[in-house]
Amino acid sequence: MTGGLLIKLAPYRTEGPNGYLLRLAEANRLEYSDLPDLGVTYDADALLRSHLLPERGLDPTLLAWVQNIATLRQKTSRVWNMRYSRFCPLCLNEEPSWRAEWELCFYDACAQHGVWMVDRCSSCHEPVSWHRSQVVRCGCGADLRAEPSHLAPAEVTQLSQVLSRKLTGRGAADMPEPLRDLNVDQTQRLIRYLGMHLDPAGVSKSLKLSNVGRMEVSWPVTSVAAAILSGWPTAFHVRFSEIQERSGGKKVGLPKLFQRAYSYLYKGLKEPAFDAVRYAFEQWLVENWRGGLALRNRRLAGQLLHRVHWIPANVAAERLGVRVARIRRLVSEGVIDGHESYSSTGRRFLLIRKEQVDELTHADLSEVDLTTAMEYLGLGKVRMRELLRLLFPSAYRPLSEYGFPPWRISRQDVERYLAIGEGLPVLAIPEELQVSLFHVLKYWAWSENEIVDLIEAVRDGEIELEGLLNGAVGLARWIFDSQSIKIWRQRRNPELSNWLSVPQVAKLLGLKQEVAYWLVRNEFIPAEKLRTLRGCGARVSRVEFERFKESYVFATEISEALKTTSRKVNALLSEQGIVPASGQGLEKCGKIFYARSRELLDYLATLNVSLPSMDSSAINSAHR
């Protein structure tokens, strides 16, 4: 029930969950703790039911923000500072709302103003509580906007900027290397590790930190971590050298000397996203470790002992008789292992596994397999298999006595496609009248022949690209004028735009292909039979496809609205005498669906479930 809310306010696009609920409670002259009793929680569905969010489709950006924050809050609650309330006085003066990043653990400096966050009132000297009556005032009545602010170190501010960008999903290209592939939770775990285990006085500390939400507890941790990350990897190496120097020249093993600073790298930070951290540690071992590395060291035996022999990229290129650019390409494709670093003077170094260079053959350099070509071109597995022989007529499978060997594709042919569009502007979001090939592949029901013709038309200069989509790869990043390619497609074959194949119907409805074929075979979706080079086939007119969507509804759609299972929906409707249309005939469909009858719609209305509207002709069609 939300009858107690006289004033209904939507969240801001930058507002945190606790801050929003406090602002909502203040507007309604309620206590923060009263909201759960009224059914108000920071959940997209709950806020929609309470009319605290615009209806779906009116503000998708705001809805996506709330859904993302609510999901992160539910699945990884440890990233949030739920107990203590901290803020930037300068931000509060500019806008009296509580920003989402303020509610993150280890967000210790304002990313915008570069000042330390505040979590204690200077008037009453008490921590600022969430259970206060006003957003901008402490429980004692003091104005939080009047709190003094103090500059924070630049590297701590930069670390807060990283956390903010991780939370909002903004780019990570200019972040320190070990942070680029981490999510918010992983970033905070790395901060804990660096700030506690690599603090000169804290090698043996546990990562369990009491009252981490308090500034007096968290700022020493973030200060150490930020200093290391800002000087990565040199500062990281220096910390391990300092720990080693404290051993006084004694021969001590890795686990005993570094304790959790060593073990947590392989136990706590074991995900692939932390590879850069482990690589930096192993690089330090190769160059600076004065002890021995025994084969019984299971963590390093399979990694370090067979990776210590690295050679520069220019030496590898000379051995293979290729350019350094080709070596970089092989590294990015995963053909060989490599790691790039920068010296203190800004020089760029790429190191390559020597053993892998020795094992490379001529075929490895001139050809790629299907998976590599697929990843490089930005195409999915199914789409790549459809387009393979059309885009690469020279692709082949080598003869083998053991089953089906992988496809081999000319690397030069792949690179020719990748070179298209180089130098064009990179766009984060296409303009209103633009569309990316990524969007076309995912949402437009184009056949493989149409896609190939479009790619070749671009290659041959018949269609011009307008830019490249940031974040996409290969062909998928191409951006077109949407009207131009629609006209091109109609001129190519106007009839095709009005017809769909049965697999395309399955994809658009989110079904397995066998279910779509059942619908066609039982004439729920009438189709026209065709004879093709591949044998018999069928095509569905777009009119019949739309008629089916207006006439029937799948049990899964109803179950999602009711937050239950399709089986329970079937039982519930059976009690009302509503029989699934998919139960007609001798053959089972494998997917339960119902006619959109007036009886069904009226019953669902009693359950507060509304299906997309349809006209009377669609209802009559459903009855038939």
Side-chain angles (χ1 to χ4, degrees):
M1 293 292 294
T2 58
L5 293 181
L6 298 178
I7 300 176
K8 299 188 176 184
L9 306 174
Y12 298 144
R13 287 177 177 81
T14 58
E15 197 171 29
N18 285 336
Y20 163 67
L21 295 176
L22 178 58
R23 181 168 65 88
L24 183 64
E26 178 186 351
N28 287 274
R29 302 301 177 101
L30 297 172
E31 295 294 327
Y32 177 93
S33 57
D34 293 335
L35 295 179
D37 297 334
L38 297 174
V40 179
T41 59
Y42 197 88
D43 174 80
D45 292 333
L47 296 180
L48 283 168
R49 287 194 300 270
S50 304
H51 305 291
L52 295 169
L53 274 176
E55 293 296 327
R56 296 184 187 274
L58 295 180
D59 194 340
T61 303
L62 177 58
L63 181 61
W65 167 262
V66 173
Q67 288 175 328
N68 178 57
I69 296 298
T71 300
L72 183 63
R73 198 167 184 241
Q74 180 180 10
K75 292 185 176 180
T76 52
S77 58
R78 62 184 176 186
V79 310
W80 299 97
N81 185 358
M82 304 291 289
R83 186 175 178 184
Y84 300 100
S85 181
R86 60 176 60 172
F87 61 97
C88 168
L90 303 180
C91 288
L92 274 186
N93 269 297
E94 296 172 359
E95 176 63 44
S97 66
W98 220 260
R99 302 190 180 182
E101 53 264 42
W102 295 357
E103 299 183 30
L104 291 175
C105 291
F106 297 119
Y107 188 89
D108 288 351
C110 174
Q112 180 178 350
H113 296 102
V115 298
W116 289 108
M117 300 293 286
V118 178
D119 68 348
R120 186 182 290 274
C121 174
S122 61
S123 297
C124 65
H125 306 291
E126 292 294 326
V128 179
S129 170
W130 285 118
H131 298 283
R132 59 188 192 274
S133 59
Q134 298 182 58
V135 172
V136 297
R137 291 191 178 275
C138 175
C140 70
D143 192 336
L144 300 179
R145 293 168 294 188
E147 287 293 325
S149 57
H150 305 281
L151 284 177
E155 58 265 25
V156 177
T157 299
Q158 291 168 1
L159 188 55
S160 290
Q161 291 170 350
V162 168
L163 286 170
S164 175
R165 289 160 61 187
K166 295 288 184 183
L167 181 66
T168 57
R170 297 197 294 271
D174 58 342
M175 290 184 185
E177 183 183 32
L179 296 173
R180 289 174 193 163
D181 298 325
L182 306 185
N183 57 32
V184 175
D185 178 45
Q186 291 169 333
T187 301
Q188 290 183 348
R189 284 162 55 198
L190 181 60
I191 292 172
R192 283 177 183 263
Y193 168 76
L194 298 175
M196 297 181 67
H197 289 341
L198 294 187
D199 181 346
V203 175
S204 62
K205 288 181 182 177
S206 168
L207 281 190
K208 293 182 179 179
L209 193 62
S210 300
N211 295 322
V212 68
R214 292 297 309 276
M215 281 292 298
E216 62 192 34
V217 175
S218 65
W219 78 258
V221 177
T222 54
S223 296
V224 173
I228 294 173
L229 289 168
S230 66
W232 190 271
T234 303
F236 184 65
H237 292 164
V238 166
R239 291 303 172 113
F240 282 101
S241 295
E242 290 174 347
I243 297 172
Q244 180 172 242
E245 291 300 323
R246 288 206 303 271
S247 67
K250 297 180 181 179
K251 188 176 181 180
V252 182
L254 285 171
K256 186 174 182 180
L257 177 60
F258 296 115
Q259 301 182 40
R260 289 189 178 93
Y262 164 68
S263 62
Y264 195 76
L265 270 174
Y266 295 90
K267 288 184 177 180
L269 306 180
K270 58 185 177 181
E271 298 101 307
F274 295 104
D275 283 348
V277 183
R278 284 187 293 275
Y279 175 85
F281 171 68
E282 292 169 4
Q283 187 182 44
W284 177 87
L285 284 178
V286 172
E287 298 174 0
N288 300 285
W289 175 240
R290 295 194 292 263
L293 292 174
L295 286 173
R296 62 178 178 269
N297 189 324
R298 295 180 181 179
R299 292 195 188 100
L300 296 178
Q303 301 176 52
L304 180 61
L305 297 182
H306 297 288
R307 284 181 49 192
V308 293
H309 302 294
W310 296 76
I311 60 176
N314 60 337
V315 176
E318 184 178 353
R319 289 189 180 185
L320 295 171
V322 298
R323 295 184 302 169
V324 173
R326 175 61 60 84
I327 296 296
R328 293 186 181 278
R329 176 95 57 190
L330 291 172
V331 171
S332 64
E333 291 173 0
V335 175
I336 55 177
D337 291 339
H339 195 277
E340 195 165 63
S341 60
Y342 295 83
S343 70
S344 58
T345 59
R347 293 182 63 191
R348 188 179 180 187
F349 294 95
L350 177 63
L351 300 178
I352 309 297
R353 280 270 303 272
K354 175 181 175 294
E355 306 96 296
Q356 293 180 333
V357 172
D358 294 338
E359 294 168 0
L360 278 179
T361 65
H362 176 72
D364 293 321
L365 298 176
S366 62
E367 297 172 347
V368 295
D369 59 18
L370 183 66
T371 300
T372 300
M374 176 182 72
E375 294 174 352
Y376 231 87
L377 296 173
L379 300 175
K381 179 183 290 186
V382 175
R383 182 70 73 175
M384 186 64 189
R385 291 187 180 277
E386 291 174 346
L387 304 182
L388 176 61
R389 297 308 298 268
L390 298 172
L391 285 176
F392 306 103
S394 62
Y396 71 99
R397 273 179 163 167
L399 296 176
S400 174
E401 298 178 359
Y402 308 98
F404 299 95
W407 284 94
R408 304 303 301 174
I409 303 167
S410 168
R411 184 185 299 274
Q412 187 175 4
D413 289 345
V414 174
E415 292 180 350
R416 186 171 69 249
Y417 284 114
L418 296 176
I420 298 174
E422 288 185 353
L424 288 175
V426 178
L427 307 177
I429 302 176
E431 299 293 338
E432 183 177 356
L433 299 179
Q434 294 177 334
V435 64
S436 67
L437 186 57
F438 173 85
H439 186 91
V440 174
L441 293 171
K442 189 170 184 178
Y443 299 108
W444 291 13
W446 284 28
S447 69
E448 58 265 34
N449 288 325
E450 290 175 284
I451 295 296
V452 169
D453 287 353
L454 176 63
I455 293 172
E456 291 180 343
V458 174
R459 181 196 64 191
D460 299 337
E462 298 174 15
I463 297 179
E464 293 185 358
L465 300 178
E466 297 202 347
L468 302 175
L469 180 64
N470 186 31
V473 297
L475 309 182
R477 62 182 185 154
W478 290 357
I479 294 178
F480 304 88
D481 176 79
S482 57
Q483 193 62 29
S484 296
I485 62 171
K486 287 179 181 178
I487 294 173
W488 170 85
R489 186 194 187 208
Q490 291 173 353
R491 288 176 178 173
R492 175 187 175 275
N493 191 336
E495 185 183 12
L496 287 178
S497 61
N498 298 320
W499 297 90
L500 302 168
S501 67
V502 178
Q504 288 170 342
V505 169
K507 184 176 181 180
L508 292 173
L509 291 176
L511 306 172
K512 294 182 178 179
Q513 288 190 19
E514 52 263 38
V515 177
Y517 278 108
W518 187 95
L519 294 172
V520 169
R521 190 164 54 248
N522 289 273
E523 298 186 348
F524 284 94
I525 304 180
E528 177 181 324
K529 292 185 178 180
L530 297 172
R531 282 196 173 275
T532 67
L533 294 175
R534 300 180 182 180
C536 294
R539 64 177 182 176
V540 176
S541 74
R542 193 170 289 276
V543 173
E544 291 295 340
F545 173 78
E546 296 297 336
R547 183 201 63 79
F548 175 84
K549 291 201 302 180
E550 289 291 337
S551 302
Y552 298 95
V553 58
F554 287 95
T556 51
E557 297 176 66
I558 302 174
S559 66
E560 288 176 0
L562 291 174
K563 299 187 181 304
T564 184
T565 64
S566 298
R567 182 173 294 180
K568 290 185 179 179
V569 167
N570 189 23
L572 189 64
L573 295 180
S574 294
E575 294 175 0
Q576 305 299 318
I578 301 175
V579 180
S582 53
Q584 299 171 0
L586 299 176
E587 192 179 3
K588 291 185 178 180
C589 170
K591 191 79 171 178
I592 302 173
F593 62 92
Y594 296 85
R596 289 179 184 250
S597 62
R598 177 55 60 192
E599 181 184 10
L600 173 65
L601 297 178
D602 290 345
Y603 177 66
L604 291 179
T606 66
L607 302 176
N608 294 323
V609 175
S610 60
L611 300 175
S613 61
M614 60 181 180
D615 56 30
S616 58
S617 62
I619 296 177
N620 293 333
S621 175
H623 281 297
R624 293 197 298 272

